[in-house]
Amino acid sequence: MKDQKKTPLFDRILDYINEETTPFHVPAHKMGKGIHPKWKDFAGENIFKMDLTEVQGLDDLHQADGVIQEAQELAAEAWGADSSYFLVNGTSGGIVASICTAAKQGEKIIVPRNSHKSTVYGLIVSGAVPVYISPEIDREKGLVGGILPSTLQKVYRDNKEAKGMVAVSPTYYGVCSDIKRLIEITHQYNGIFIADEAHGNHVYFHEKLPKGALFLGADLCCQSIHKMSGSLGQSSILHTKGNRVDVNRLKANLQMTQSTSPSYILMVSLDLARSNMAIKGHKLLEDLIELTEKTRKQIEKIPFIEVLGPSITGIHGIAEYEPARLVVSARKLGIQGYELYKLLRKDYQIEIEFGDYFYGVCILGIYTTHDELDRLVRALKDISMRFRGQKKPLVWNEELPPIPPQILSPREAYFADVEKVPWSRAKGRIIADMVVPYPPGIPTICPGELITDEVWDFLDAQSKAERHFHGSEDGSLTSIQVVSKLG
Ligand SMILES: Cc1ncc(COP(=O)(O)O)c(C=O)c1O
């Protein structure tokens, strides 16, 4: 067992600063001297002294064998991985590197339809061909559920040569699939399981939270430590487990997706967040879970306001719910999630993570306080009073069209000549972008796919119903990027 109180990178940086070595190296602000005085007045001097580079004694992220390696080994132990790699370009960079490691140009990889856009970028960079798998949809709630193991079994049976799969769990909404079974099935087919745990890095530190994918045998696992475990924005970790992954290839791919001047401030924040979670994580999460549960109960009692919780498990492929998340809806008041998001900021000085058609997603953290949550509850109570009886409740219960045929890989579509056409003339064309209507928030069509009659009719109906679209230029369906006519 390593001593998780240790913070090797932080300590070595302080030593370097105290040595007062004359800096003839980047960054050119020279340990803060060149930073704008306004910023120094606000932030103080010390943080800028820590903005260093690979000076002697501070190791090299891309060939770590000193303090960075020591810090990464502590992280590997804290999360139960075989090896861990600090990411200074977020989980996004880790996902791209992971996909490039698992599947090469032309090889198949199973990708959930509700993947983060970094997965699509991974497909574009690697040239791998996605075999899309649809998560279950709770149509009444307008919520994307989990991936059913039986669906994955079928996809593998039809695509035995697939090199593995990517899975997001928990999702932004706190939904967890049966990751244990998905990993077992992937391994039966000798595939590599890539866990997108952008939102799940904290679950390893408390038994009341869903089991982490690494614990369940994932081969690669990307975690945004900045989202839940208290490091600085953009700092993440990629972990590996087992012997399915070619680690040298992974390291090469990480060099491709990350800066040659990685920020030491970001890496230090990972070193310190890891120590904090390993030492105090259990207690902090215990408090957070208790606080969230209490708040959820209070919100449940507010008329016309809904909140997601563990009761949604057991159907729609949802194996577990991440209890430390608060996802609220005012749809019974006729208020969309986007409107709720704006209203909370404008009238109550509360900024939540985002809103979609039905939901407002509030991200809580290990230092969220009772007072902050109390303020949210009071705001929701007020909204419930102010807006009742004004508008019709929002409903959605649509059947999604089947996934359309893939004519080009995402890479081919991305690099093809494209043109913009009015939506009315898009039928039968190959799309260069993706279109994601809300609800439920998964792409109806992805780059390289054919705009079939069914897809066109579905999206057109959603557009007439004034749904919001992600991926299209202005959030509507006025015009769309398609691949110019082939050959
Ligand atoms: C599911 C999912 N995966 C990956 C990412 C990318 O993470 P990062 O912002 O750390 O690059 C996000 C970001 O929101 C996400 O929600």
mmCIF file with all atom_site columns, all heavy atoms in Angstrom, residues 225 267 375 393 426:
data_model
loop_
_atom_site.group_PDB
_atom_site.id
_atom_site.type_symbol
_atom_site.label_atom_id
_atom_site.label_alt_id
_atom_site.label_comp_id
_atom_site.label_asym_id
_atom_site.label_entity_id
_atom_site.label_seq_id
_atom_site.pdbx_PDB_ins_code
_atom_site.Cartn_x
_atom_site.Cartn_y
_atom_site.Cartn_z
_atom_site.occupancy
_atom_site.B_iso_or_equiv
_atom_site.pdbx_formal_charge
_atom_site.auth_seq_id
_atom_site.auth_comp_id
_atom_site.auth_asym_id
_atom_site.auth_atom_id
_atom_site.pdbx_PDB_model_num
ATOM 1  N N   . ILE A 1 225 ? -11.580 14.033 -13.778 1.00 0.00 ? 225 ILE A N   1
ATOM 2  C CA  . ILE A 1 225 ? -11.415 14.257 -12.335 1.00 0.00 ? 225 ILE A CA  1
ATOM 3  C C   . ILE A 1 225 ? -11.941 15.654 -11.979 1.00 0.00 ? 225 ILE A C   1
ATOM 4  O O   . ILE A 1 225 ? -12.448 15.893 -10.898 1.00 0.00 ? 225 ILE A O   1
ATOM 5  C CB  . ILE A 1 225 ? -9.923  14.106 -11.928 1.00 0.00 ? 225 ILE A CB  1
ATOM 6  C CG1 . ILE A 1 225 ? -9.355  12.758 -12.430 1.00 0.00 ? 225 ILE A CG1 1
ATOM 7  C CG2 . ILE A 1 225 ? -9.725  14.234 -10.424 1.00 0.00 ? 225 ILE A CG2 1
ATOM 8  C CD1 . ILE A 1 225 ? -10.060 11.526 -11.935 1.00 0.00 ? 225 ILE A CD1 1
ATOM 9  N N   . MET A 1 267 ? -1.586  19.288 -13.768 1.00 0.00 ? 267 MET A N   1
ATOM 10 C CA  . MET A 1 267 ? -1.111  17.987 -13.250 1.00 0.00 ? 267 MET A CA  1
ATOM 11 C C   . MET A 1 267 ? -1.021  17.995 -11.719 1.00 0.00 ? 267 MET A C   1
ATOM 12 O O   . MET A 1 267 ? -1.352  17.009 -11.067 1.00 0.00 ? 267 MET A O   1
ATOM 13 C CB  . MET A 1 267 ? 0.233   17.633 -13.892 1.00 0.00 ? 267 MET A CB  1
ATOM 14 C CG  . MET A 1 267 ? 0.094   17.343 -15.381 1.00 0.00 ? 267 MET A CG  1
ATOM 15 S SD  . MET A 1 267 ? 1.562   16.597 -16.093 1.00 0.00 ? 267 MET A SD  1
ATOM 16 C CE  . MET A 1 267 ? 2.641   17.994 -16.298 1.00 0.00 ? 267 MET A CE  1
ATOM 17 N N   . ARG A 1 375 ? -30.959 26.787 -1.166  1.00 0.00 ? 375 ARG A N   1
ATOM 18 C CA  . ARG A 1 375 ? -31.277 27.880 -2.095  1.00 0.00 ? 375 ARG A CA  1
ATOM 19 C C   . ARG A 1 375 ? -31.948 27.336 -3.358  1.00 0.00 ? 375 ARG A C   1
ATOM 20 O O   . ARG A 1 375 ? -32.901 27.924 -3.876  1.00 0.00 ? 375 ARG A O   1
ATOM 21 C CB  . ARG A 1 375 ? -29.948 28.536 -2.461  1.00 0.00 ? 375 ARG A CB  1
ATOM 22 C CG  . ARG A 1 375 ? -30.096 29.815 -3.124  1.00 0.00 ? 375 ARG A CG  1
ATOM 23 C CD  . ARG A 1 375 ? -28.755 30.435 -3.246  1.00 0.00 ? 375 ARG A CD  1
ATOM 24 N NE  . ARG A 1 375 ? -28.977 31.639 -4.020  1.00 0.00 ? 375 ARG A NE  1
ATOM 25 C CZ  . ARG A 1 375 ? -28.247 32.708 -3.915  1.00 0.00 ? 375 ARG A CZ  1
ATOM 26 N NH1 . ARG A 1 375 ? -27.255 32.740 -3.087  1.00 0.00 ? 375 ARG A NH1 1
ATOM 27 N NH2 . ARG A 1 375 ? -28.512 33.751 -4.644  1.00 0.00 ? 375 ARG A NH2 1
ATOM 28 N N   . PRO A 1 393 ? -48.746 21.290 -19.572 1.00 0.00 ? 393 PRO A N   1
ATOM 29 C CA  . PRO A 1 393 ? -47.558 20.467 -19.306 1.00 0.00 ? 393 PRO A CA  1
ATOM 30 C C   . PRO A 1 393 ? -46.913 20.014 -20.620 1.00 0.00 ? 393 PRO A C   1
ATOM 31 O O   . PRO A 1 393 ? -47.600 19.863 -21.630 1.00 0.00 ? 393 PRO A O   1
ATOM 32 C CB  . PRO A 1 393 ? -48.123 19.250 -18.564 1.00 0.00 ? 393 PRO A CB  1
ATOM 33 C CG  . PRO A 1 393 ? -49.488 19.616 -18.138 1.00 0.00 ? 393 PRO A CG  1
ATOM 34 C CD  . PRO A 1 393 ? -49.979 20.722 -19.019 1.00 0.00 ? 393 PRO A CD  1
ATOM 35 N N   . ALA A 1 426 ? -32.921 17.839 -48.285 1.00 0.00 ? 426 ALA A N   1
ATOM 36 C CA  . ALA A 1 426 ? -31.861 16.995 -47.702 1.00 0.00 ? 426 ALA A CA  1
ATOM 37 C C   . ALA A 1 426 ? -32.147 15.497 -47.809 1.00 0.00 ? 426 ALA A C   1
ATOM 38 O O   . ALA A 1 426 ? -31.242 14.677 -47.628 1.00 0.00 ? 426 ALA A O   1
ATOM 39 C CB  . ALA A 1 426 ? -31.652 17.381 -46.235 1.00 0.00 ? 426 ALA A CB  1
#
